[in-house]
Amino acid sequence: MTSRTDHIAPNEGALLHHRVEGAAAAPPLLLGPSLGTSLALWDAVAPELSVTHRVVRWDLPGHGGSSASLIGPGATVGDLAALVLALADSLGIDRFSYAGVSLGGAVGLHLAVHHPERVDRLAVICSSAHFNGSKPWEERAARVRAEGLAGLAAGAGARWFTPGFTVPGLVEDHRTADPEGYAACCDALAAFDLRERLPRVSAPTLLVAGREDPATPPAHLREIADAVRGAGLVEIPGASHLAPAERPEAVLTALRAHFVGDAGRGMSVRRQVLGDEHVDRAQAGQSAFTARFQDFISRYAWGEVWTDETLSRRERSMITMTALVAHGHYDELAMHVRAARRNGLTPEEIGAVLLQTGVYCGVPAANSAFAVARAVLSEEGERAGS
């Protein structure tokens, strides 16, 4: 069962404000926000990720529900990373996966470089290993401390999204952020440059770029991908700086592939069990309408369940045949009788499984199942004799 809880930090904001979604026993995944936004940046993505993970999204100091007093002038990304680690410790989380946007992505890079023992997998979204030098951020920090955030917030939509798209709630988060907390985060961006240390990142890393992002264009993400061994790079068309808000489906697809399961591995197992001929036929017959379902099958059924070594493939074949008989899926049963033979079951063992279904699923169901299996095994015998 999944759950969702919001947490206002105790002791007058000693911890980052955060929201926890998903099962307590699921692997933890921390989500970091961009400057000027709140944890609402992840509203269209986090609930889906919480199906498989214990998702913890947090607010920057002075943003959303986090106290501005958590950092001060001259703050660094390292200071923000320390707050994230304190949050993880408070939740009993030792090792976690992490995804972050812009400043949140910089925090993830810092954690991966300086605390590799804590980061399992990393995704850096619309971010960079540097943010074009210190001067622009020093000037922005000074402006915010002098004038507040109203002027900057008025132009946030143009900086964050492609023309014609906006998320009013995120723009409002920008307008209502605490100027001192925001300025301190600008100080952190001004001092951040991790380019020389990128080869130290050892966690499996995914870079996600918004193709229309003027703040951290794809070249910045490619720079990280080139320096981090084995890193992957995804460019999302039609996305600017806040890709999780503007193109949540594309971001979700990329993050699922990175954090949840490998469709490539699943496809390999699918071919081993079902045979190349069947899989090729299924792939050739897919359309834009069915493509996501085919990916779902490869990623979850084959990439997650069938790769779990708790049960052998022989055992999984026996369970699968029983379930198919119970629900009357005889076309699928024929396919899995063939799979059972590939997985090492003898005709006698297949017959024993179907006999058992006669007891627990009913004689008529078992009678139909025996007819299907006999036809499949007869075809096998004919091919062997030809």
Side-chain angles (χ1 to χ4, degrees):
M1 179 180 295
T2 61
S3 61
R4 165 179 158 175
T5 53
D6 283 278
H7 299 266
I8 303 297
N11 303 324
E12 298 183 353
L15 291 174
L16 295 166
H17 171 256
H18 54 284
R19 178 176 297 168
V20 181
E21 298 160 282
L29 170 60
L30 275 58
L31 303 179
S34 172
L35 177 68
T37 69
S38 72
L39 51 74
L41 173 61
W42 294 99
D43 277 354
V45 176
E48 294 294 330
L49 292 175
S50 72
V51 173
T52 54
H53 285 77
R54 181 189 183 193
V55 173
V56 181
R57 38 179 167 153
W58 51 274
D59 284 327
L60 288 161
H63 297 63
S66 287
S67 170
S69 65
L70 287 167
I71 57 174
T76 66
V77 170
D79 295 331
L80 295 172
L83 291 171
V84 171
L85 291 180
L87 172 60
D89 291 343
S90 75
L91 297 173
I93 297 172
D94 179 42
R95 190 170 174 84
F96 49 83
S97 292
Y98 183 95
V101 180
S102 194
L103 177 53
V107 170
L109 282 172
H110 181 96
L111 289 168
V113 167
H114 295 282
H115 303 277
E117 75 285 356
R118 302 297 297 268
V119 181
D120 185 31
R121 303 181 76 85
L122 173 66
V124 178
I125 303 169
C126 299
S127 187
S128 183
H130 66 98
F131 290 85
N132 298 314
S134 61
K135 186 176 180 180
W137 298 104
E138 291 168 351
E139 292 175 347
R140 184 183 294 195
R143 175 185 172 187
V144 169
R145 288 183 172 114
E147 303 175 6
L149 282 162
L152 272 178
R159 297 195 308 272
W160 287 349
F161 305 116
T162 58
F165 184 90
T166 190
V167 180
L170 290 177
V171 176
E172 180 66 10
D173 285 337
H174 190 327
R175 189 186 66 80
T176 58
D178 182 280
E180 286 300 324
Y182 184 101
C185 288
C186 290
D187 292 340
L189 287 167
F192 183 73
D193 190 339
L194 214 59
R195 282 175 285 185
E196 292 185 1
R197 299 187 180 184
L198 289 174
R200 294 173 56 181
V201 175
S202 58
T205 300
L206 171 70
L207 293 314
V208 179
R211 194 167 290 171
E212 312 302 323
D213 182 2
T216 52
H220 283 231
L221 284 300
R222 286 196 292 271
E223 183 178 39
I224 302 172
D226 288 343
V228 176
R229 184 175 181 180
L233 173 64
V234 173
E235 292 188 21
I236 299 179
S240 186
H241 192 53
L242 299 188
E246 187 164 14
R247 293 293 311 278
E249 299 88 354
V251 172
L252 182 60
T253 297
L255 294 184
R256 276 178 170 161
H258 186 58
F259 291 126
V260 178
D262 183 352
R265 181 178 63 161
M267 182 62 74
S268 176
V269 174
R270 188 179 179 189
R271 288 184 178 280
Q272 292 167 20
V273 174
L274 299 182
D276 288 335
E277 182 180 349
H278 171 85
V279 175
D280 288 342
R281 188 166 56 248
Q283 292 296 101
Q286 77 177 14
S287 64
F289 182 67
T290 63
R292 289 184 66 188
F293 180 66
Q294 289 295 321
D295 178 74
F296 170 82
I297 293 171
S298 294
R299 193 177 305 284
Y300 292 98
W302 298 104
E304 288 288 306
V305 176
W306 276 84
T307 55
D308 181 356
E309 296 181 357
T310 306
L311 298 175
S312 69
R313 290 188 186 175
R314 283 172 48 84
E315 291 167 328
R316 291 191 184 281
S317 278
M318 289 188 280
I319 293 168
T320 301
M321 287 189 294
T322 301
L324 293 172
V325 173
H327 289 276
H329 299 311
Y330 298 115
D331 288 341
E332 289 276 317
L333 176 63
M335 177 177 71
H336 277 279
V337 169
R338 297 184 185 96
R341 294 290 286 134
R342 288 190 187 86
N343 287 338
L345 271 73
T346 66
E348 292 75 18
E349 288 171 326
I350 292 171
V353 170
L354 299 183
L355 182 62
Q356 182 123 347
T357 66
V359 177
Y360 293 97
C361 302
V363 170
N367 185 51
S368 297
F370 268 104
V372 169
R374 181 175 59 188
V376 170
L377 295 173
S378 295
E379 291 172 4
E380 182 182 87
E382 291 172 2
R383 285 198 300 271
S386 62

